[in-house]
Amino acid sequence: MIRLRSKQRQLSDKQLIKELCEANEVSYTNIAKEGHRVVSIEMFLHGFPRMVGLSFFTTLCQLTIVGQDIEHIEELESCPLLQELWVAECCLTRISGLQNCLQLKKLYLYDNNIFEITNLESQVNLEVLWLNNNRISEIKGLNTLSNLKELNLADNHIEKCGHSLDSNTSLENLNMSGNKISSFQEVTMLANLPHLTELALNDPMSPPNPVCLLCDYATHVLYHIPRLQRLDTHDVSSKQIKEAAESTVMTKLMYYNMRMRTAWRNLESTQLNLMERKKSLLRAPEECIRRLSHTLKCLERELSKLSRVSKKSANKSDDRSSQLVEGLADGRDEINTTDGADMEDQIHCKTEALKKSLVLWNLRLNKIEAEHKQDLILARNMMDYTVQFLLMELKSIGNVRLKEGCSTDPWYTSCCNLLLSRFCHSDFRVHKISGLKIKRIFRIQNNVLRLRFDDKLHSIVVRKDGGNISQNYKHQMQYLFHMSEPEKSHQKEELLSILEEGFQTPGPFKSLDKGGAIPLTNSLSKIDLPRIEHAMRQASKGYSKQSAEHTISFRHSQIIVSKVYLGNSTPVREGKPFYRRSYPTVDSVYCDLDIKQQTALGEGGSYSLRQHAGLRHQRQWFVFDHELVLPEYIIYFEYITKSQEQSSVLWNLLTEKDNTPSIDLDMEVLNMEPMLKTQPKYLSINDEIMLNVAQANVLSQITVLNLHGNSLSKIKEISHLRALQHLTISFNEFTCLDDISHMPNLEFLDASFNQLVTLEGLRALGKLKELDVCWNKLSKAREESVVLRKQAPALLKLNAKHNPWKRPEEVRETILGYLTTLTHLDDMMVTEEESSNAVQMVARAKINQACLLTHSRTNSHRPRNLSLLSGAQLLCKLSPAPWSLNKELEPDWTVKITALSLDNQRISKLVNLKTLVNLRWASFNDNDISKVEGLDNCLKLEELSFNNNSISTLSGLPKLHYLTKLSVDGNLLSSLEESVLGHLSKLSFLSVENNCISSLNGIKRLLSLRELYIGYNNISVSQDICYLKCLKDLIILDLCGNPLSTKLKNYELYVIFQLPFLRALDGIEVDTNKSDSAKLMFEGRLIPDIVAQTLGHSNFTDLTYLSLKCCSIRTVDLDPSDIFSSLHSVNLDHNNLTSFSGLIYLPNIIGLSLNHNHIESIFPSQKTHLTKTQKMYSNIPSSGYGKQSSSNGKGETWPNCSLEPLMSSLEVLYLSYNGISNMANLQLSRLTSLKALFLQGNDISHVEGLEGLGQLRKLVLDTNRIKALAHNSLVNQTALLELHLAENRIRELSHLDSLTELRKLFVNVNKLQDIEQLNKLDVLPLLTMLSVAGNPVAKSSLYRSKVVLRLSKLQVLDGVTITLEERMRAEFLLTKSPQCHQCSPASLPSADTNLPGIIPLMPRYVPLRGINGGGGLQYSPDKTDEAHKDKHSNATLNGQTAVNFRHTQKPENSLKTTDILLAGNKVIVTCPKQEQNNKFPRSAKPSPCSGQKRWT
């Protein structure tokens, strides 16, 4: 049978070879001779079942087999010269048979059934490999193909790239379309291929990878692989495309860096709050400890005195009683009893009681400290999760996001209800848990997982419903819980992996007895009780460093809520593992949980029953397909216990209930006998005091000196005690120990409970063995240790507890590293291992060769990695050290160093950096560096970080011209020196948070700055924001934590308005709404900062004039107004003001010009419905919203006499051309000191609202719509001297009888027709100037004569002076016979006619020399007057002129009887007592006085 089959196979092979020869035009009969000449063979269309006859073609170079039934590659052993092989669209299941084809360069194995890449290790010359359209799930077996240039793995089942292609450094073209790559991180791995120029993940011939459907896919790929020329068949070689991708990613990096810093800042804020809480809790215990310790040391001092007295009385026993009495009498022994032995017993008894109380209080301190550590750990854990979430979001380019919810989000409420409904009180009663409190809920928005879940669900639903989608599947969806196993040590990593990549394939769960399924449940107790019990077991092992964390994990928990499609689910079968092959037809299996005490009642009666009723179907599910489990929420919550102290294992281990310390117990101890008398406190000491305290006769005998409990801050005399061995100076006021020096015999020093800030003053204490400096203010452990190592080399015991050390967790190791002789530190014995580790730590805290070798890198480029680490940190993390400690180094090895990361190395000084001339990235965070030095030769530095050091100045940076990033957070900077930063022209990133900086002045020259983090400093002046206006590239600014952010009203909108180019402020994005709100709030708003910006300084002390014309000002808010106390004149012409309420608080304003605005009232109109803008302005105290007076019911607002007067110093007000139509609404009556009011060029029809202006001297109402004056229009203006009513619609002159002091009246260009109206001016006894020109009445030929004759005191009419001759002629004309009056107008003499004996009527401007009948004004314009007039008329006004008050008036009036003068630095309204000296200007142009101040 076998022979038959073999014979049949041979016959079949012959037939196949024959067909092969025919297909390739090779003679079958001469195949033995001609075969070695054939270099190319093709197999098409003949259905070859296998590869045969290839042994005849020994020189074959190309073999093409397409569309055959071949399952194995064979018979290639005789083809060693084969260079190109095609076995495509066949039935291959594995790669084999190529071991002899060592010259193979091209291999095409697409469209087969290959599952794994194998047996290609020997194909080192392979350049092209196509394995597309197979079943490959993992890239491997290509490590040796270093010459591979083209690789096609499209249409397989690959999910990850990893580092499997890193060795294929020649790869140029890679096609991985149609796979299952869903993570950007996998695509990022391809950046390790240095020659990759063509990449396809979304080829048009294949379906896209899931990652290609994500946002910013192309941007991400082009950023990480900038050398790509083609992506997904598209040309991406353009420089603009690469720059756009670079810019997009850099912007995202800046954004997430900002958010990261916000998270860290929030942590710091939380830590500060926790520290304040801790200090508050420690205040009472510390006070008790201080009081008890003080009493204890007093008793020890008295016991020492008794000991000395006992020694003396041993020689004189018969005088012991008298000595004790004498001791009490002379004040040396302050003891209440005379029996020395009983006294010592009482002291010992009281001392023991005090020590017990101190132990209890110290336990209380430890308890508070332990709780504080727990809170810190919890805060750090939450911050760590937040940071990891942000990094995950960054690495996924926003395709994986975790959004924190709040109570207003519907999904937040649903999650809360879900978790609370799954809580059963009886299950947790054993742990004294009564409830739970939800802390935070994050919604997981993972686009990749959601797409995968939806696709999988859609395929299942369509398959089950026969192509139709129904809604039945929704009944098989549930929200279930998942939690990491408590025994796992990498729970955080597992959580992050689930959030980013989803639940892994069932394999990892096999070791957990879960088989091949994912465990989920709807029971909180089932999933969380094991964790609680594990935490309790760990905490019960003893109080250790980890016990605090276990205590936290007892109360605080987290849980993942997943959306799960259970599909076809069946109960678990006993004895069967949770493998899919055990349940081939179902999607999941479940088991019911054993609910104990379902009917048990809780403390609230029916509470437990109700809870259990909702949890009757508690189950645990095991889902086989991980793609059907979608993590959607993560919930952080805390269990509520009946008593935190009872539930805290840590507290039970520390204290017993009966041993709780109390103040009452302390008082009982303190009141025990003996009660010591209050001892007088020494402020200073001398030799006599020291002899008295030591009970010695000479200084040389003093070996023990106790100065406890005084008020000493200096003890210079102590240096005289050369024999002193034991010194106690506790409970004094020492800030340093400078006086304790050169004491060769001193062995013990107690300086506890003082105010010591340094030990620098100690000198030459060679025999000092014990030192107690607890309860002081020491903060620098390294500096103090260095002092003690040098000055006290024999020190054995040191107590330095309860000091505000910087980095307290490092204090013990630091001290032991420097003080190697110590046997006890803080009352704890020092072990050899501890001491050895500390010494090694100190040895590493120096920049030496070993340090540089370990922490340096030589990379020439910064990795393109979406990481927020600095360049030095990133390189040291990703790249291995290029040096080997065992190999010999090159002479110039330091020249190659480009990156140096020396974070947290406890370095105190920058040394040995001179040879690092190519250093580009350096980080020295978390050290003890106090000065920037040693970098003068590192001129190529681009990034530099000094966070958390002790640097106070940046003086060592001016030479670093290439620096682009500088970070100096958490230092001691008080200013930003412009002389230093001015040289850093390329600086784009600056971070100086948590310093003491008070001004931004030094930053204004950093024109390339894009990110500025300067939070938590001392910036308090809003003018500092103006220093940033020239930084047009600045897009991120963080000022959070500065006084300015809380002190300045509307701080956020103000900064956004001043810096419109910002994209983020204080960690919050600046959107369009905020920008618009800022414009509405501050655009056109005059505030002190705008004034300071205009002046170039903020010193308003000498400011007297302010001119801001044509500035589009809408509101004024010069608050506080006191800083403008010297301001007298303000010119705001040509702006957009509708009110001037913001000016009413200026204390000394005299002149105010508001011409050409839109003034409606002093205060803004009160409206029922305020606009958005008005609502903003209503928050400004000086805006005046809501302060309007009452209305008369007709839409008009009348002055209220009860309203207090405003602007008591204002005398001149210009409101011309404001469109005013209602004078009453202006509320001008409240300006009671007003002397001149200009209202020309408005729309006024009624003169009203002037009742309160009793001191008004000049009123200008020209060019309005006034028809007549009402009876009450000017009733209170009895002091008015000048009234302008020109260019109105006046027909009658009535109600002027109250103007008894009026000198000038201008009613020209009106509608006066009857001369009788002019006769009404008789009520103005002092009228000297009248203008009626332009009225119909003025056309009458006798009009002038009648007026002259009627008004006997009139001196000027229509701009022409009335002479004596004119009066005589008028009298002559008007007293002639009636015939004369009957003559026609043509017969009357004209004004130009010269009659005999009559002087022509005012042919020119002549001096007036005459006295009217009433002894009126005599005026003669001489040369001095003409010069003064010319000076005023020719004065030019420009941008530097003082405040200019303009009053548009026709030039016919040349006589000035009232004037407003500018003298020195103020406006003066000249109103002399004599009426003829009262002057006001017509043109309102103040003459520029010599020495006056000018504004731009």
Side-chain angles (χ1 to χ4, degrees), residues 393-490:
E393 186 174 332
L394 171 61
K395 292 179 180 179
S396 66
I397 314 295
N399 288 283
V400 180
R401 296 190 178 186
L402 283 94
K403 178 184 177 182
E404 184 169 5
C406 59
S407 57
T408 58
D409 296 323
W411 58 266
Y412 182 92
T413 305
S414 300
C415 286
C416 292
N417 294 336
L418 175 66
L419 187 63
L420 293 174
S421 67
R422 298 297 189 264
F423 174 77
C424 180
H425 172 259
S426 61
D427 293 342
F428 295 89
R429 184 181 302 167
V430 66
H431 302 295
K432 298 184 174 62
I433 295 175
S434 58
L436 59 84
K437 178 181 179 182
I438 296 175
K439 309 290 287 187
R440 303 171 77 182
I441 300 180
F442 288 90
R443 185 176 187 177
I444 305 167
Q445 297 175 335
N446 191 319
N447 295 339
V448 177
L449 299 182
R450 182 164 293 279
L451 285 173
R452 189 178 69 183
F453 178 83
D454 292 341
D455 290 344
K456 187 72 173 181
L457 183 61
H458 182 270
S459 64
I460 293 176
V461 172
V462 170
R463 184 178 69 249
K464 289 184 177 181
D465 293 343
N468 298 320
I469 301 177
S470 65
Q471 300 298 320
N472 295 331
Y473 73 94
K474 292 185 178 181
H475 299 290
Q476 298 170 321
M477 304 280 289
Q478 286 203 26
Y479 281 95
L480 302 177
F481 301 146
H482 171 80
M483 184 179 291
S484 300
E485 296 293 326
E487 293 81 6
K488 283 190 175 182
S489 58
H490 302 289

Side-chain angles (χ1 to χ4, degrees), residues 1123-1135:
I1123 62 178
F1124 298 96
S1125 58
S1126 299
L1127 187 61
H1128 295 161
S1129 302
V1130 176
N1131 187 344
L1132 297 178
D1133 291 349
H1134 295 279
N1135 282 288

Side-chain angles (χ1 to χ4, degrees), residues 1060-1073:
F1061 38 79
L1062 282 183
R1063 296 185 186 178
L1065 174 64
D1066 295 347
I1068 302 175
E1069 183 181 1
V1070 177
D1071 54 17
T1072 305
N1073 293 333

Side-chain angles (χ1 to χ4, degrees), residues 252 260 288 325 342 398 567 606 652 665 777 787 1086 1116 1120 1389 1421 1452:
K252 286 184 177 292
M260 191 78 68
C288 293
V325 174
D342 294 341
S606 62
N652 292 331
L665 183 60
K777 295 183 178 181
V787 170
L1086 180 60
V1116 180
E1452 68 269 10

Side-chain angles (χ1 to χ4, degrees), residues 100-151:
N100 291 336
C101 302
L102 301 181
Q103 297 187 26
L104 196 63
K105 292 184 178 181
K106 297 181 180 180
L107 179 59
Y108 300 91
L109 302 176
Y110 59 88
D111 276 322
N112 284 283
N113 295 317
I114 299 173
F115 288 87
E116 188 177 7
I117 304 175
T118 56
N119 301 320
L120 293 179
E121 294 81 3
S122 60
Q123 307 303 319
V124 293
N125 294 315
L126 197 63
E127 296 180 358
V128 178
L129 176 60
W130 283 29
L131 292 170
N132 47 305
N133 287 93
N134 281 282
R135 300 184 180 183
I136 300 170
S137 60
E138 183 179 1
I139 302 176
K140 62 180 182 178
L142 303 177
N143 298 338
T144 61
L145 308 185
S146 57
N147 294 316
L148 190 64
K149 295 181 180 180
E150 182 178 349
L151 177 61

